[in-house]
Amino acid sequence: MGSQGQFPLTQNVTVVEGGTAILTCRVDQNDNTSLQWSNPAQQTLYFDDKKALRDNRIELVRASWHELSISVSDVSLSDEGQYTCSLFTMPVKTSKAYLTVLGVPEKPQISGFSSPVMEGDLMQLTCKTSGSKPAADIRWFKNDKEIKDVKYLKEEDANRKTFTVSSTLDFRVDRSDDGVAVICRVDHESLNATPQVAMQVLEIHYTPSVKIIPSTPFPQEGQALTLTCESKGKPLPEPVLWTKDGAELPDPDRMVVSGRELNILFLNKTDNGTYRCEATNTIGQSSAEYVLIVHDPNSLAGQNGPDHALIGGIVAVVVFVTLCSIFLLGRYLARHKGTYLTNEAKGAEDAPDADTAIINAEGSQVNAEEKKEYFI
């Protein structure tokens, strides 16, 4: 067998830093010619099944006339480069395999957050990761929604092989951001579709918001009324302050404050007025007002009950319209029937049927009128 049909075949290999690379050289047709692997520095690693370089990380996987495979464990960035498989024919034939080593990005870190942040402040967060090769990609998420408007910076590390990448996110915070998780996600081909993430939970301080909720929409004399002051804020507002018409509550025996509730017992007309709830925290204060109008139970029952006069009027109108319709319909039928009978009688003597009788009768009337004019 001639040497023209003998060619070594190799493939490029990509491996993550710290992993193991397998370099394989195959020859479909070989007449017992030796195979050799050498590194990018042209140092022989294996000559057939004989190890030539003292490196405990390099091992023989398989050696035959048709294949020479070796492994390189604990691969480092310095192992990257072009490896050569040589088939010692005359002349020597070679095949190149490029070993690419991926640098794994370090776990990202988020900086720039100082707790707490006041509502309305501009927040700037920076996410950084080093050691990636090629440069990693950084993405931001807030409430699981990606934020696109960010800044991206890539810098080469001191080893001139890996990169440090950083991304900066700017946004103005409001109370809805309190407790929200902002996530920085690092994507890289070395991570096997499992990105690295860093998370920052936001703490936003804001002034209270206040709302008064009455226990009933129509307070009545003699009943009890509870006004609840709902206040939200961060830090949590202090105990609320209740006032009536800008002054202290006038009847503390009947007007009892319990936490955020104002309970007024045995309502009367003197309780009418504007009640104010005020909530305060270290950021500021806010208030809400409720205008109390105490209703007379009797007048309120009349307002809420059915309007019998209105219902009676509607019924009367319906009955009147119905009776008028019946009366008019009866007159119409009676008049139509009388005309029919009269005309039929006038023309019945000469007409073969009722319709002809009516026509004859009408003709007779016309003739009669003509005759009257003639005799005059």
Side-chain angles (χ1 to χ4, degrees):
M1 181 182 298
S3 63
Q4 285 84 359
Q6 299 173 263
F7 294 97
L9 301 174
T10 58
Q11 286 185 330
N12 295 333
V13 177
T14 299
V15 65
V16 175
E17 184 180 11
T20 300
I22 304 295
L23 300 174
T24 299
C25 180
R26 290 189 175 90
V27 180
D28 292 335
Q29 299 178 15
N30 191 354
D31 55 357
N32 299 337
T33 302
S34 295
L35 289 168
Q36 171 187 286
W37 270 113
S38 56
N39 62 16
Q42 295 304 312
Q43 296 172 313
T44 300
L45 303 179
Y46 264 89
F47 186 85
D48 288 337
D49 60 352
K50 299 176 180 62
K51 188 174 185 178
L53 184 67
R54 292 184 178 180
D55 188 337
N56 294 332
R57 301 178 305 130
I58 303 175
E59 299 290 341
L60 179 66
V61 175
R62 184 177 297 104
S64 69
W65 296 118
H66 297 283
E67 178 182 341
L68 178 60
S69 295
I70 62 174
S71 67
V72 183
S73 60
D74 193 19
V75 173
S76 65
L77 295 173
S78 61
D79 292 322
E80 184 173 272
Q82 188 168 264
Y83 289 72
T84 304
C85 175
S86 301
L87 177 65
F88 284 89
T89 58
M90 293 298 292
V92 175
K93 296 176 181 177
T94 61
S95 179
K96 309 292 185 179
Y98 196 90
L99 175 62
T100 300
V101 181
L102 301 177
V104 182
E106 298 175 359
K107 183 175 176 59
Q109 301 290 332
I110 296 178
S111 61
F113 179 78
S114 58
S115 180
V117 178
M118 302 300 142
E119 182 177 29
D121 285 354
L122 182 64
M123 179 178 290
Q124 184 178 85
L125 300 178
T126 299
C127 180
K128 180 182 288 188
T129 178
S130 301
S132 60
K133 177 183 170 297
D137 183 35
I138 294 180
R139 301 165 69 185
W140 288 95
F141 294 85
K142 179 183 173 187
N143 272 345
D144 296 327
K145 183 178 180 181
E146 185 171 1
I147 304 173
K148 295 288 189 180
D149 188 16
V150 296
K151 301 173 184 176
Y152 182 83
L153 178 64
K154 178 178 70 173
E155 297 177 319
E156 194 175 58
D157 292 334
N159 60 15
R160 306 186 64 84
K161 295 180 181 294
T162 59
F163 295 89
T164 293
V165 293
S166 61
S167 178
T168 302
L169 169 66
D170 297 300
F171 64 100
R172 197 169 298 279
V173 300
D174 57 37
R175 61 189 59 198
S176 65
D177 292 319
D178 184 49
V180 168
V182 176
I183 294 176
C184 160
R185 192 176 91 181
V186 175
D187 292 314
H188 194 262
E189 55 188 299
S190 67
L191 300 176
N192 295 324
T194 305
Q196 292 184 346
V197 298
M199 182 175 66
Q200 177 65 64
V201 178
L202 305 182
E203 182 182 359
I204 312 300
H205 282 194
Y206 54 93
T207 57
S209 61
V210 182
K211 180 171 63 173
I212 297 177
I213 302 177
S215 58
T216 175
F218 300 103
Q220 301 181 35
E221 280 187 289
Q223 291 184 346
L225 173 67
T226 298
L227 299 179
T228 302
C229 181
E230 281 194 355
S231 60
K232 298 178 181 179
K234 194 164 187 179
L236 190 67
E238 301 169 359
V240 298
L241 174 65
W242 284 98
T243 58
K244 178 178 183 288
D245 297 327
E248 295 182 357
L249 299 176
D251 191 347
D253 292 334
R254 287 190 309 110
M255 300 178 178
V256 181
V257 177
S258 176
R260 302 183 182 279
E261 294 182 349
L262 171 60
N263 300 290
I264 306 176
L265 308 176
F266 307 109
L267 288 171
N268 58 63
K269 296 290 187 179
T270 63
D271 296 326
N272 288 345
T274 301
Y275 290 79
R276 180 186 178 93
C277 165
E278 184 177 289
T280 305
N281 64 9
T282 56
I283 310 302
Q285 67 178 28
S286 184
S287 61
E289 293 183 346
Y290 172 80
V291 178
L292 172 60
I293 300 176
V294 179
H295 299 272
D296 185 339
N298 297 324
S299 63
L300 191 61
Q303 293 176 2
N304 294 336
D307 193 337
H308 297 290
L310 178 61
I311 296 175
I314 294 174
V315 172
V317 170
V318 172
V319 172
F320 176 75
V321 172
T322 302
L323 292 176
C324 288
S325 300
I326 295 174
F327 175 74
L328 293 174
L329 180 62
R331 289 195 61 184
Y332 171 79
L333 294 175
R335 180 179 297 175
H336 181 75
K337 182 177 181 181
T339 302
Y340 178 82
L341 293 175
T342 303
N343 291 337
E344 185 180 38
K346 291 179 180 180
E349 297 176 357
D350 301 326
D353 51 35
D355 293 337
T356 307
I358 293 173
I359 296 173
N360 292 341
E362 292 176 351
S364 297
Q365 288 181 342
V366 173
N367 293 333
E369 293 296 330
E370 293 177 350
K371 289 178 181 180
K372 287 178 183 179
E373 291 177 2
Y374 176 79
F375 285 114
I376 291 174

